[in-house]
Amino acid sequence: MPVAIVDHPLAQHLLTLLRDESTPPDAFRHYSRRLTTILAVEATRDLTTTNVKVRTPLEETEGRLLSETLVVVPILRAGLGMLEPIAELFTNVSVGYIGLERDETTAIATSYYCKLPKMDGMTVLLCDPMLATGGSAAQAAGLLRDAGARTIKMIAVVATPTGIDRLLGEHPETEIFTTSIDRSLDDRKYILPGLGDYGDRLYGTL
């Protein structure tokens, strides 16, 4: 299933708080971190593990440890807000950055920064809270594929049919995890009903 809608009650609760225009930046950041954690857990259900033996204070038992190193790549700047909670979940994660700036008139993104760790054969969590037109996500996924990524999992708080179609049309092997597929885009390519400008609300630059 290329698109997974995470409809856990807590995820939907947090999404509603993020949508609320009265939510201040400090609370917005808090809710964003919590929701990112839920999305990341859902996106990593199929990570590989290794069976090990471990001794509890009472006896020896069997357990499983993660045997796969993740790469997390936020799309700057809004994606940065999703990095910290994922790095807290997976302490040995590698981190890359892709900087894409959208022209407000044309809605076309141009790259201004790209720094990636070793990608060959890796599973990558590509983070951008708003999958709107899909242009930035598709461009970023192309950079990750060119660098050797094996699996790309896109984590977005909200997405649109337009953005999903664009991303999967150019990179059909990508998996998308989101809490909502919103209705459409307005004339400025903002998501409706959406959350407003995620980066501005995250960093209080309204």
Side-chain angles (χ1 to χ4, degrees), residues 141-164:
L143 292 171
L144 297 176
R145 284 292 176 195
D146 290 345
R150 173 177 56 86
T151 301
I152 300 173
K153 297 171 180 279
M154 174 85 197
I155 296 178
V157 172
V158 295
T160 67
T162 299
I164 291 170

Side-chain angles (χ1 to χ4, degrees), residues 34-95:
R34 297 298 177 267
L35 184 51
T36 298
T37 298
I38 295 172
L39 286 167
V41 168
E42 289 296 323
T44 54
R45 283 183 176 274
D46 59 352
L47 288 182
T48 57
T49 58
T50 300
N51 294 328
V52 298
K53 291 188 180 298
V54 62
R55 178 164 290 279
T56 77
L58 300 176
E59 64 180 21
E60 188 177 84
T61 187
E62 293 187 353
R64 294 188 297 166
L65 292 176
L66 290 172
S67 57
E68 186 173 347
T69 300
L70 281 175
V71 177
V72 179
V73 179
I75 297 177
L76 305 179
R77 72 177 166 148
L80 274 178
M82 307 176 81
L83 174 59
E84 182 181 355
I86 298 176
E88 289 177 351
L89 279 175
F90 302 98
T91 54
N92 65 338
V93 73
S94 296
V95 179

Side-chain angles (χ1 to χ4, degrees), residues 9-205:
L10 179 57
Q12 295 301 315
H13 171 83
L14 292 166
L15 173 61
T16 300
L17 293 172
L18 289 172
R19 287 195 194 277
D20 189 340
E21 66 177 358
S22 68
T23 299
D26 58 342
F28 192 92
R29 289 189 291 270
H30 173 79
Y31 301 143
S32 178
R33 288 193 296 268
R34 297 298 177 267
L35 184 51
T36 298
T37 298
I38 295 172
L39 286 167
V41 168
E42 289 296 323
T44 54
R45 283 183 176 274
D46 59 352
L47 288 182
T48 57
T49 58
T50 300
N51 294 328
V52 298
K53 291 188 180 298
V54 62
R55 178 164 290 279
T56 77
L58 300 176
E59 64 180 21
E60 188 177 84
T61 187
E62 293 187 353
R64 294 188 297 166
L65 292 176
L66 290 172
S67 57
E68 186 173 347
T69 300
L70 281 175
V71 177
V72 179
V73 179
I75 297 177
L76 305 179
R77 72 177 166 148
L80 274 178
M82 307 176 81
L83 174 59
E84 182 181 355
I86 298 176
E88 289 177 351
L89 279 175
F90 302 98
T91 54
N92 65 338
V93 73
S94 296
V95 179
Y97 299 93
I98 294 176
L100 296 169
E101 186 172 20
R102 189 176 79 162
D103 185 293
E104 293 299 329
T105 303
T106 65
I108 297 173
T110 56
S111 176
Y112 64 88
Y113 185 77
C114 182
K115 180 70 173 179
L116 300 174
K118 180 180 179 295
M119 303 290 289
D120 291 342
M122 293 290 191
T123 294
V124 182
L125 299 182
L126 178 61
C127 300
D128 192 349
M130 311 292 279
L131 180 55
T133 66
S136 294
Q139 190 172 341
L143 292 171
L144 297 176
R145 284 292 176 195
D146 290 345
R150 173 177 56 86
T151 301
I152 300 173
K153 297 171 180 279
M154 174 85 197
I155 296 178
V157 172
V158 295
T160 67
T162 299
I164 291 170
D165 289 347
R166 172 78 179 272
L167 178 55
L168 295 182
E170 295 187 25
H171 303 281
E173 69 287 344
T174 302
E175 299 173 59
I176 301 170
F177 295 82
T178 185
T179 49
S180 176
I181 299 177
D182 280 10
R183 184 177 73 251
S184 61
L185 297 167
D186 68 8
D187 292 340
R188 297 185 301 158
K189 306 302 182 184
Y190 279 80
I191 296 175
L192 297 173
L195 309 153
D197 188 300
Y198 204 96
D200 284 344
R201 298 193 65 193
L202 194 67
Y203 299 116
T205 54

